[in-house]
Amino acid sequence: MVHLSPLSVVDPTNPKKPGYRTLALTAMLIGACTSYGQADTLLNAPPTDTADARNRLRLPVFTLTTDDLDGELGNQDISGILQSSRDVFTSVAGFSFGQARFRIRGYDSENTLVTINGVLVNDLETGWATWSNWAGLNDVTRWMQVRTGIGSNRNLFGSIGGSSDMNIQASALRKGVRVSYASANRAYRNRIMFTYNTGLQANGWAFSFSGSRRWADEGYVDGTSFNAFAYFLAAEKRINDRHSISFSGFGAPIRQGRQALAVQEAYDLTDNPFYNPNWGYQNGEKRNAKMSFDHKPMIMATHNFAISDAANLSTSAYYTFGRDGLTGLNWFDAKDPRPDYYRYLPSFYRYENTGFYDDQVSAWQNENTRQIDWDQLYFANGKNEYSVLNANGVIGDTITGNRSKYIVEEVRADPLRFGLNSVWTKAFAGETQLTIGGSAHKQRTHYFKTVDDLLGGDFWVDIDQFADRDFNDSIISQNDLSTPNKVVEEGDVFGWDYYVHTRYVNAFAQLEKKWTRLEAFVGIDLSHTSFWREGLVQNGRFPDNSLGDGDKNNFIGFGLKAGSIYKLTGRHFVSANAAFITRPPTAYSSFLSPRVRDAVIPGLTQESATSGDISYVLRAPRVKGRATLYYTRIADQVWNRSYYHDEFLTIVNYAMTGVDQVHQGVELGMEANLTSTWTMTAVYAGGSYTYDSRPVATITRNNSEEVFGADRTIYWKGYRVGGMPQNAGSLGFKYNSPKYWFAGITGNWFGNIYLDPNPDRRTAEALENLVTSDPQWDDLLEQTKLDDNVTVDLFAGKSWMLKRKYRLAVNLSVSNLLDNQEFRIGGFEQLRYDRTQVDKFPPKYSYLFGRNYFAMVTFSF
């Protein structure tokens, strides 16, 4: 919980419109976070599993609302009451539950849409909104309208998780100067920020500037450095009463050392639940092999046209580009350099029945064993003289030198995207509003990797080590047939090089109608999506379908939604909403192995989502509350991963179609004013998120057309969707002093936390030759469940008004006050497994940070 001050602002498109409210909240709270500043931590958190280079960070779905309705409610519009009131459930779920990766209704972030100046900013290829693209611009993005679940929206059709809409035009930002400094012990240690907004001036111009820096030599976790900047510039010209034009641009370059998850054995050996195997000492300093460097600036122009007093047309054009990179170790004909590789753990020696178990336990007490040995990597590279014959495809050309066995590579996914969005709205007589909008988007993501550091060697040869081992063919093992035996140095592209193109166009319409006691809306959406792969190199394993444009995959999407609010009295309301949406599978999940070929998953088809909710809302002067029942079914999803398969002894692509999920449950929230200064909040989320089908899997070899398993049935029905608490509760008390200070404490409980099930362990093939009495039977089938746990959070703040013009504010929040370091909040079941010794590849876990804080001083005028 945090202190939120209510703020009313004028609708910039209609200054005479009464009762208009926007969200007054610093953007550091964006995301599921517990207090001031934690969103920055979450936005730049370490990867949650080894697939993070593909998946990146999926932010929890959340909702924030204002706290500005305390008076008599009977004479206000129904929608005004429900939309401008602070909803205690979504506030607590967004703040207090976020530390445990709670997601409202269990939705992934592709089910919640984000717009900036009306432009959809969710990635076209993944469906996710990357909040870190504007991280550090808290003073700009704080003016945000957030809608939860299905509902009316005059910016876009929306989705089952709702939307977050930001207006960053210069005239919409609060006039003044704001300077702040923050100290924390989370992802970063320090933050400075400066913002200046002119507001709309007499000459019709408005300007805005904001910038920040966040940094840490080392964050909460060992080896996780952090260095980030953010910038924002905007200008707007109000030409006359009908027309205005605005320009906005922003970016947030972030370089960060990452944390990797580990098995419980590694945490126990190091006596550290935040053990990080990604770093090691080099020349006496910690060096992290997993460094991310992201910077994707965006520029946009918006034209607002007030056609009449009742009609408005808003059109925005945008362009975004940049880089998204993550470094990591690569090696050829050498030992695995990762210190927590399963063969280096004491348990491996126990399984192999050797006598070195105790010796390896002792070795793990030494940092040279449990961290990356950079000196050894340099030593190996400096003693590996090698001659490359016919180098770079030139017959007779020989290059001799130290061929690196180990390198640091950078895997890149650099997007380029532009598009246009336009929305027309008109108010008709009889409290009727019609909205019609459409958009067109074009995105191209460049996937490739480069040599970041040869680690003392002279060059790297661009051949695939698995193909070199499996086929013993010098042509098949080439990654680029146009340049056989390609010799690469630092900065050179190697391995793979391709584009994924995505096109998306849509049109939507929405009709809203108000009566004395009833409000209702209906909306419809129609869209077309097309995506394909374009290979930039010819791969030796797939010479016929790796170079050039692949087949285009086309899908038509459709959406229909409706909802209503009925006012029983001025304080009691009932609302109901429903939606049916069809949408394409994401391009990101649709290709079998896009790094080497353009083939897509067999049986690719549309996804669908059916969702509904019904709520009772109470808005009394001293008590506010909501009770909601919800149900959502998402059908025909695609699931796609690559990993090393122990039975087939090679990298495989594991793709499933027909993945269905059901999300259902109850949301209860109450806020009571116990006295004029004391407030109590109570919240409960009771969810059941399960897989509801038996998907079909196709298993293919990554380096050939060979199919290991076709139409394999996955017995997933009834298993829990992992990655979040499915149940949570909170009880909080807050004191608001008349002398402009506040303090509060919140206790939180989290339960039913599961890890996502490994699909191949839930097949008939995995249980072959086993009987129910075998210990492996239950080991293979039982889903990993984490312990229930509790946290306590503390927050406080005070503000001073100086000379009736200047404001000084101090805020402090302490999360996990009791320093609970035994709270496992997530992880994953390893896809690699041995069905005869299931615990040979146990799950990897992540732990909740221990006691941590965020303190901020703000000066504004």
Side-chain angles (χ1 to χ4, degrees):
M1 285 292 294
V2 297
H3 176 68
L4 299 179
S5 299
L7 179 65
S8 302
V9 297
V10 177
D11 183 347
T13 63
N14 187 356
K16 297 181 180 180
K17 181 179 177 181
Y20 182 85
R21 299 289 189 269
T22 60
L23 181 68
L25 178 64
T26 52
M28 69 187 76
L29 298 173
I30 293 173
C33 47
T34 60
S35 55
Y36 287 104
Q38 191 167 342
D40 280 337
T41 301
L42 292 174
L43 294 175
N44 301 285
T48 56
D49 55 50
T50 54
D52 184 67
R54 286 196 62 182
N55 295 333
R56 309 303 293 170
L57 178 65
R58 292 194 180 192
L59 290 181
V61 179
F62 64 94
T63 297
L64 311 177
T65 52
T66 56
D67 185 15
D68 60 353
L69 189 72
D70 291 316
E72 178 59 42
L73 306 177
N75 296 325
Q76 298 190 27
D77 289 342
I78 303 169
S79 60
I81 292 171
L82 296 185
Q83 293 177 8
S84 67
S85 303
R86 192 184 84 165
D87 179 84
V88 63
F89 177 87
T90 50
S91 294
V92 171
F95 299 128
S96 299
F97 292 168
Q99 57 187 319
R101 297 179 182 164
F102 178 85
R103 300 200 297 267
I104 292 179
R105 302 184 185 179
Y107 296 148
D108 282 331
S109 61
E110 61 263 35
N111 292 303
T112 299
L113 305 183
V114 179
T115 68
I116 298 179
N117 291 355
V119 170
L120 179 70
V121 295
N122 291 63
D123 187 87
L124 299 184
E125 191 178 329
T126 65
W128 312 327
T130 308
W131 292 82
S132 59
N133 288 351
W134 50 87
L137 296 174
N138 309 25
D139 292 342
V140 176
T141 57
R142 65 196 306 226
W143 315 107
M144 180 172 50
Q145 293 179 336
V146 182
R147 298 169 174 85
T148 305
I150 307 159
S152 61
N153 190 325
R154 296 176 188 175
N155 292 302
L156 75 174
F157 178 78
S159 187
I160 58 175
S163 67
S164 298
D165 307 307
M166 289 173 273
N167 183 356
I168 62 172
Q169 297 177 81
S171 67
L173 302 178
R174 187 180 184 183
K175 179 180 178 180
V177 175
R178 180 182 173 93
V179 183
S180 65
Y181 169 77
S183 173
N185 67 336
R186 297 170 180 170
Y188 59 83
R189 300 282 181 172
N190 303 276
R191 192 197 71 188
I192 55 174
M193 186 179 300
F194 173 82
T195 301
Y196 174 55
N197 302 317
T198 67
L200 189 62
Q201 302 175 101
N203 60 4
W205 280 98
F207 299 93
S208 180
F209 166 79
S210 186
S212 72
R213 188 192 175 202
R214 296 164 293 153
W215 73 97
D217 292 334
E218 187 171 65
Y220 190 92
V221 175
D222 289 345
T224 56
S225 60
F226 193 97
N227 191 21
F229 294 84
Y231 55 88
F232 168 79
L233 291 168
E236 181 175 355
K237 172 63 176 177
R238 182 156 295 179
I239 301 171
N240 53 43
D241 291 340
R242 296 293 187 189
H243 295 273
S244 68
I245 298 177
S246 67
F247 300 90
S248 305
F250 60 86
I254 302 173
R255 186 183 294 273
Q256 182 182 10
R258 296 284 186 148
Q259 179 193 8
L261 304 191
V263 298
Q264 189 60 46
E265 181 182 8
Y267 293 131
D268 293 340
L269 287 166
T270 59
D271 193 26
N272 180 8
F274 313 109
Y275 163 68
N276 181 13
N278 281 344
W279 67 271
Y281 283 106
Q282 182 179 347
N283 297 325
E285 296 184 358
K286 293 179 180 179
R287 178 180 179 181
N288 194 316
K290 290 277 190 180
M291 296 292 298
S292 63
F293 180 28
D294 300 339
H295 182 205
K296 297 183 280 290
M298 186 175 196
I299 55 176
M300 56 179 58
T302 301
H303 173 232
N304 291 312
F305 176 28
I307 302 171
S308 67
D309 291 341
N312 187 77
L313 177 66
S314 180
T315 303
S316 294
Y318 72 95
Y319 177 77
T320 182
F321 62 98
R323 71 177 339 267
D324 189 339
L326 179 66
T327 66
L329 290 171
N330 196 354
W331 56 97
F332 187 95
D333 191 26
K335 292 175 57 179
D336 194 315
R338 296 171 296 178
D340 62 337
Y341 180 53
Y342 82 101
R343 289 177 175 267
Y344 305 154
L345 294 170
S347 58
F348 173 78
Y349 295 92
R350 183 175 66 241
Y351 288 125
E352 299 302 319
N353 296 317
T354 65
F356 298 108
Y357 175 82
D358 292 336
D359 293 339
Q360 197 65 10
V361 170
S362 298
W364 262 77
Q365 308 309 309
N366 189 318
E367 280 190 333
N368 289 334
T369 297
R370 63 177 183 255
Q371 304 299 155
I372 296 172
D373 190 345
W374 289 104
D375 291 340
Q376 178 58 37
L377 306 188
Y378 276 86
F379 177 80
N381 288 346
K383 300 292 184 180
N384 190 38
E385 187 170 334
Y386 189 89
S387 295
V388 183
L389 304 179
N390 302 324
N392 298 318
V394 179
I395 303 300
D397 190 11
T398 300
I399 295 178
T400 301
N402 283 321
R403 177 182 179 180
S404 290
K405 286 178 172 288
Y406 300 96
I407 63 170
V408 175
E409 65 181 14
E410 184 179 29
V411 177
R412 298 279 290 276
D414 295 358
L416 185 154
R417 175 178 164 185
F418 58 89
L420 185 71
N421 183 85
S422 190
V423 176
W424 173 83
T425 62
K426 184 171 182 178
F428 293 90
E431 294 289 337
T432 302
Q433 183 86 24
L434 177 64
T435 302
I436 299 175
S439 65
H441 309 264
K442 180 179 180 181
Q443 178 172 316
R444 186 194 73 189
T445 305
H446 187 190
Y447 290 93
F448 63 102
K449 64 178 180 176
T450 65
V451 178
D452 185 75
D453 192 340
L454 288 168
L455 300 180
D458 297 319
F459 57 82
W460 175 272
V461 181
D462 188 18
I463 62 175
D464 183 271
Q465 63 174 321
F466 290 102
D468 187 60
R469 181 201 67 184
D470 295 343
F471 300 105
N472 194 27
D473 187 311
S474 60
I475 299 300
I476 291 178
S477 63
Q478 300 295 326
N479 288 323
D480 183 358
L481 286 178
S482 69
T483 313
N485 300 327
K486 183 179 179 181
V487 175
V488 293
E489 300 177 353
E490 291 176 4
D492 291 343
V493 175
F494 76 108
W496 57 80
D497 192 5
Y498 65 98
Y499 295 135
V500 171
H501 299 270
T502 309
R503 306 287 186 269
Y504 172 75
V505 295
N506 87 302
F508 78 96
Q510 176 181 273
L511 182 65
E512 302 167 78
K513 174 69 175 176
K514 294 181 181 180
W515 294 271
T516 303
R517 287 185 172 270
L518 179 69
E519 291 185 14
F521 73 90
V522 62
I524 189 171
D525 180 75
L526 187 65
S527 65
H528 177 266
T529 301
S530 177
F531 58 82
W532 69 96
R533 177 189 184 274
E534 178 190 356
L536 303 180
V537 294
Q538 187 177 24
N539 186 278
R541 276 82 71 206
F542 302 95
D544 299 327
N545 61 343
S546 57
L547 180 65
D549 287 337
D551 293 336
K552 291 181 172 59
N553 302 276
N554 297 291
F555 297 90
I556 300 295
F558 172 78
L560 181 65
K561 65 177 182 178
S564 63
I565 304 169
Y566 182 73
K567 180 167 64 173
L568 301 171
T569 69
R571 295 173 180 174
H572 301 270
F573 309 86
V574 174
S575 69
N577 303 281
F580 175 76
I581 299 171
T582 65
R583 60 194 183 193
T586 63
Y588 190 75
S589 301
S590 296
F591 293 98
L592 272 176
S593 185
R595 292 175 173 178
V596 293
R597 54 175 166 159
D598 60 17
V600 297
I601 295 172
L604 207 59
T605 187
Q606 291 268 75
E607 299 177 2
S608 65
T610 305
S611 184
D613 61 63
I614 184 168
S615 299
Y616 164 73
V617 180
L618 170 65
R619 287 291 181 262
R622 298 182 66 88
V623 180
K624 302 178 181 66
R626 173 170 67 86
T628 298
L629 294 173
Y630 62 89
Y631 176 90
T632 298
R633 190 171 196 275
I634 307 172
D636 294 320
Q637 298 176 102
V638 171
W639 190 99
N640 189 9
R641 303 289 189 274
S642 297
Y643 67 100
Y644 188 86
H645 199 292
D646 264 46
E647 182 178 348
F648 302 134
L649 300 177
T650 189
I651 299 292
V652 301
N653 307 305
Y654 204 103
M656 295 191 297
T657 56
V659 179
D660 298 353
Q661 294 174 212
V662 168
H663 296 239
Q664 58 187 340
V666 60
E667 298 169 344
L668 303 174
M670 181 190 71
E671 180 179 74
N673 295 323
L674 304 178
T675 69
S676 61
T677 56
W678 280 96
T679 302
M680 181 191 75
T681 58
V683 163
Y684 173 73
S688 175
Y689 318 137
T690 59
Y691 291 103
D692 196 48
S693 64
R694 293 178 175 177
V696 174
T698 300
I699 310 172
T700 58
R701 181 193 289 268
N702 190 60
N703 274 331
S704 77
E705 301 280 0
E706 183 179 2
V707 177
F708 291 124
D711 299 330
R712 177 173 292 191
T713 300
I714 309 300
Y715 293 89
W716 251 14
K717 188 169 184 177
Y719 280 93
R720 296 292 188 116
V721 178
M724 83 217 78
Q726 301 207 359
N727 301 110
S730 176
L731 180 65
F733 295 91
K734 177 182 173 183
Y735 177 77
N736 284 302
S737 170
K739 297 184 180 296
Y740 306 105
W741 64 271
F742 66 91
I745 190 168
T746 303
N748 311 293
W749 166 82
F750 304 95
N752 278 354
I753 309 173
Y754 293 85
L755 302 187
D756 239 12
N758 174 339
D760 205 53
R761 283 172 45 184
R762 282 77 184 185
T763 61
E765 289 78 3
L767 297 174
E768 189 175 7
N769 298 324
L770 295 176
V771 296
T772 56
S773 60
D774 290 330
Q776 296 95 330
W777 185 278
D778 288 340
D779 290 343
L780 287 166
L781 295 181
E782 286 184 358
Q783 186 173 6
T784 304
K785 183 180 180 182
L786 307 184
D787 294 335
D788 296 358
N789 241 301
V790 297
T791 62
V792 176
D793 304 324
L794 182 70
F795 56 92
K798 181 170 176 55
S799 62
W800 298 265
M801 187 64 70
L802 309 175
K803 297 183 178 180
R804 298 187 178 181
K805 179 179 180 182
Y806 305 99
R807 183 175 183 268
L808 180 66
V810 177
N811 291 283
L812 170 68
S813 66
V814 180
S815 298
N816 195 2
L817 181 67
L818 302 182
D819 199 27
N820 181 357
Q821 296 190 18
E822 298 181 355
F823 188 176
R824 294 187 295 189
I825 58 175
F828 58 93
E829 292 185 359
Q830 293 195 65
L831 297 178
R832 184 179 185 179
Y833 75 100
D834 183 338
R835 70 190 192 96
T836 64
Q837 296 177 336
V838 180
D839 58 350
K840 186 176 182 179
F841 300 101
K844 294 191 175 184
Y845 301 106
S846 63
Y847 280 80
L848 180 74
F849 283 178
R851 186 184 300 112
N852 59 91
Y853 76 92
F854 183 91
M856 181 172 66
V857 178
T858 305
F859 180 70
S860 59
F861 60 92

